[in-house]
């Protein structure tokens, strides 16, 4: 028997434990850790928004503040999304484990192991990428400080491009820098851990769809159809039933997964599109001023958001493709040589699979590559409007 949590989601478990979001082993320390981390993320957002009250607000200043604040709002939303849905996440993992426990065929188990290994591989790759991007951002923040001792650069330039604290920057410089770096580390770990957990579930969903297609193929093999008797007919019906059953359970699991986080996903889409537009504006605006450090910072943010949006929508596209593969498998088998009652069962599968099964958020967004293009187009439209009114 395969233990999903320890064999396929072990690295995901470590990442979620690091930020206090693993749904198991909820001790008092973990609860305190969750409150502390969410408080740190929220404090950064509050400090930035407070600057809008304390200082004179020009359009450029407002855009600068919100281009950064939106990113940390996304961190807070992702953290809160998993924190309040701890019970739902635990139930989802248990349901996935229950579905996997029902697999008895060695080939089906091999398919599941293959997709479990894909989960571990992608988790490791994106974790390393996050570490590199986080280190790059931290180095970018302290870069002027490193050379400031030689070139006598004002130390407050280190955080000017990223933060708008209302306190005296010269006096509390090192505390502010520490706070910013802690927020970046917590936020990047949070968005990586939560995103990879959902991505891992989607990879397993694709694996279960693959098993459904495999069962359909095995039910209608040439050997079975060459000798149609009562025993073979019963065997074919059972195999088709098992294929339909795992297909139904997989769709149910998928709908439950995304319905648990539907409201948070809708907020994430809105914040991602807005933040992408603001940071693209920040790139062009700071480039015109010759502030290359700020340009590089906004560019890193834009690249991270584009990568995040692409991976999320590509995963949704894969769910559509794997679901459609069941339809093509049922259509291409030699159903015309099967008994009439078996043909009726296959017709039922064809009718059910004829409609694309997709991941839909708030009834508006179908997660797919087409959705990714639509979101990019919307972001570009908002950016063009802001840049034209500059």
């Amino acid at each position: 028997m395969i233990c999903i949590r320890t064999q396929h989601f072990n690295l995901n478990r470590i990442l979620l434990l690091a930020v206090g979001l693993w749904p198991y082993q909820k001790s008092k320390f973990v609860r305190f850790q969750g409150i502390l981390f969410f408080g740190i993320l929220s404090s950064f957002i509050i400090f930035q928004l407070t600057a809008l009250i304390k200082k004179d607000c020009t359009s450029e200043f407002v855009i600068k503040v919100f281009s950064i604040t939106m990113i940390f709002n996304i961190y807070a939303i992702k953290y809160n999304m998993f924190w309040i849905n701890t019970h739902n996440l635990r139930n989802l993992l248990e349901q996935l484990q229950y579905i996997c426990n029902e697999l008895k065929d060695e080939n089906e188990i091999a398919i599941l192991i293959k997709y479990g290994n894909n989960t571990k591989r992608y988790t490791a790759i994106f974790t390393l990428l996050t570490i590199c991007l986080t280190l790059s951002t931290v180095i970018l923040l302290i870069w002027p400080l490193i050379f400031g001792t030689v070139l006598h650069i004002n130390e407050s330039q280190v955080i000017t491009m990223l933060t708008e604290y209302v306190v005296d920057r010269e006096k509390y410089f090192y505390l502010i820098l520490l706070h910013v770096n802690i927020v970046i580390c917590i936020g990047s770990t949070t968005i990586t851990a939560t995103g990879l957990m959902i991505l891992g579930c989607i990879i397993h969903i694709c694996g279960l769809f693959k098993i459904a297609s495999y069962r359909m193929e095995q039910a209608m093999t040439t050997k079975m159809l060459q000798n149609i008797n009562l025993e073979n007919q019963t065997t074919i019906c059972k195999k088709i039933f098992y294929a339909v059953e795992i297909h139904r359970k997989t769709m149910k699991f998928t709908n439950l997964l995304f319905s648990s986080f539907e409201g948070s996903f809708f907020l994430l889409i809105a914040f991602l599109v807005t933040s992408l537009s603001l940071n693209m504006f920040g790139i062009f605006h700071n480039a015109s001023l010759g502030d290359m450090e700020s340009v590089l910072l906004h560019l890193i943010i834009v690249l991270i958001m584009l990568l995040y949006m692409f991976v999320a929508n590509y995963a949704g596209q894969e769910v559509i493709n794997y679901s459609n593969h069941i339809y093509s498998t049922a259509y291409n088998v030699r159903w015309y040589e099967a008994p009439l009652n078996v043909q009726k069962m296959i017709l039922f599968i064809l009718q059910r699979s004829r409609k694309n099964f997709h991941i839909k958020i708030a009834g508006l967004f179908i997660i797919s590559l087409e959705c990714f293009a639509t979101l990019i187009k919307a972001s570009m439209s908002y950016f063009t409007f802001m840049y034209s009114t500059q």
Side-chain angles (χ1 to χ4, degrees):
M1 186 180 71
I2 299 172
C3 182
I4 297 296
R5 296 199 303 270
T6 58
Q7 292 179 249
H8 296 175
F9 288 102
N10 188 44
L11 184 53
N12 304 79
R13 179 182 64 86
I14 294 171
L15 290 171
L16 289 172
L17 279 172
V19 289
L21 293 177
W22 182 244
Y24 298 88
Q25 304 167 352
K26 281 289 185 179
S27 62
K28 291 182 179 180
F29 172 76
V30 173
R31 293 189 181 94
F32 171 76
Q33 182 185 11
I35 295 171
L36 177 63
F37 282 8
F38 184 74
I40 291 173
L41 293 174
S42 301
S43 65
F44 183 89
I45 299 170
I46 293 170
F47 285 143
Q48 303 311 299
L49 295 179
T50 305
L52 297 175
I53 302 173
K54 299 291 184 179
K55 297 183 179 182
D56 296 332
C57 292
T58 62
S59 59
E60 293 182 2
F61 180 76
V62 172
I63 290 174
K64 176 186 175 183
V65 171
F66 276 99
S67 65
I68 300 299
T69 305
M70 285 290 178
I71 299 298
F72 295 93
N73 273 316
I74 293 171
Y75 290 163
I77 290 170
K78 291 283 285 185
Y79 197 96
N80 188 61
M81 179 176 75
F82 268 61
W83 179 256
I84 65 177
N85 287 288
T86 298
H87 181 69
N88 290 335
L89 180 60
R90 185 167 61 248
N91 286 341
L92 285 167
L93 289 174
E94 290 173 355
Q95 285 195 27
L96 182 60
Q97 181 67 60
Y98 176 76
I99 296 172
C100 296
N101 287 344
E102 293 182 334
L103 303 179
K104 305 300 180 183
D105 187 276
E106 291 183 359
N107 292 325
E108 294 177 2
I109 295 173
I111 291 172
L112 183 66
I113 292 174
K114 174 186 174 182
Y115 283 84
N117 290 334
N118 289 341
T119 299
K120 293 188 287 185
R121 185 180 303 112
Y122 287 121
T123 302
I125 291 172
F126 284 114
T127 300
L128 289 174
L129 181 61
T130 300
I131 292 172
C132 294
L133 289 172
T134 303
L135 287 176
S136 299
T137 305
V138 172
I139 291 172
L140 180 63
L141 289 175
I142 65 175
W143 188 263
L145 180 62
I146 296 172
F147 286 92
T149 57
V150 178
L151 303 177
H152 305 291
I153 298 173
N154 187 353
E155 290 180 344
S156 64
Q157 291 179 6
V158 179
I159 54 175
T160 299
M161 61 183 175
L162 181 64
T163 64
E164 288 296 339
Y165 286 84
V166 295
V167 298
D168 186 350
R169 290 183 178 178
E170 299 294 337
K171 184 177 180 180
Y172 300 102
F173 170 73
Y174 290 103
L175 287 177
I176 293 173
L177 185 60
L178 177 63
H179 182 237
V180 172
N181 287 330
I182 289 174
V183 169
I184 289 173
C185 292
I186 294 175
S188 58
T189 305
T190 297
I191 203 167
T192 303
T194 54
L196 289 176
M197 190 68 207
I198 295 173
L199 179 63
C201 290
I202 292 176
I203 292 173
H204 280 77
I205 288 168
C206 293
L208 293 175
F209 278 139
K210 183 69 174 178
I211 292 172
S213 299
Y214 168 79
R215 288 182 176 181
M216 183 62 62
E217 292 171 351
Q218 292 301 305
M220 302 294 290
T221 58
T222 304
K223 183 178 179 181
M224 284 287 186
L225 296 175
Q226 283 178 346
N227 184 22
I228 295 296
N229 52 40
L230 183 60
E231 182 180 355
N232 282 350
Q233 186 173 329
T234 303
T235 302
I236 292 173
C237 290
K238 284 183 178 180
K239 288 186 176 181
I240 293 177
F241 169 78
Y242 291 141
V244 172
E245 183 68 7
I246 196 169
H247 184 223
R248 182 188 65 82
K249 288 181 178 179
T250 305
M251 291 191 296
K252 182 180 179 182
F253 174 78
T254 307
N255 291 329
L256 184 61
L257 171 63
F258 287 91
S259 63
S260 301
F261 306 109
E262 189 171 31
S264 299
F265 280 134
F266 181 76
L267 284 176
L268 278 175
I269 292 173
F271 277 89
L272 280 168
V273 171
T274 306
S275 181
L276 188 58
S277 303
L278 292 171
N279 280 281
M280 284 192 294
F281 176 83
I283 291 173
F284 284 87
H285 178 70
N286 287 289
S288 64
L289 298 176
D291 187 357
M292 299 314 296
E293 289 87 358
S294 295
V295 169
L296 185 57
L297 178 66
H298 287 294
L299 182 60
I300 291 174
I301 294 173
V302 167
L303 291 176
I304 291 172
M305 287 190 293
L306 287 175
L307 177 63
Y308 190 85
M309 293 168 65
F310 175 78
V311 171
N313 284 281
Y314 183 80
Q317 184 68 50
E318 283 293 282
V319 171
I320 296 174
N321 295 341
Y322 273 85
S323 179
N324 290 341
H325 186 258
I326 297 174
Y327 174 82
S328 61
T329 301
Y331 185 81
N332 290 326
V333 295
R334 299 167 63 182
W335 53 268
Y336 46 84
E337 296 183 6
L340 184 60
N341 60 336
V342 175
Q343 291 184 24
K344 289 180 179 179
M345 291 182 69
I346 295 176
L347 180 62
F348 171 77
I349 297 172
L350 291 173
Q351 288 177 337
R352 177 63 187 86
S353 302
R354 183 172 56 86
K355 297 180 181 179
N356 283 338
F357 176 73
H358 46 246
I359 300 168
K360 203 167 187 177
I361 303 299
L364 298 173
F365 302 100
I366 296 175
I367 306 303
S368 62
L369 292 178
E370 183 180 355
C371 178
F372 174 71
T374 301
L375 296 178
I376 296 300
K377 183 179 178 181
S379 299
M380 290 299 297
S381 299
Y382 298 143
F383 157 69
T384 304
F385 173 76
M386 287 186 292
Y387 197 74
S388 63
T389 57
Q390 184 179 6

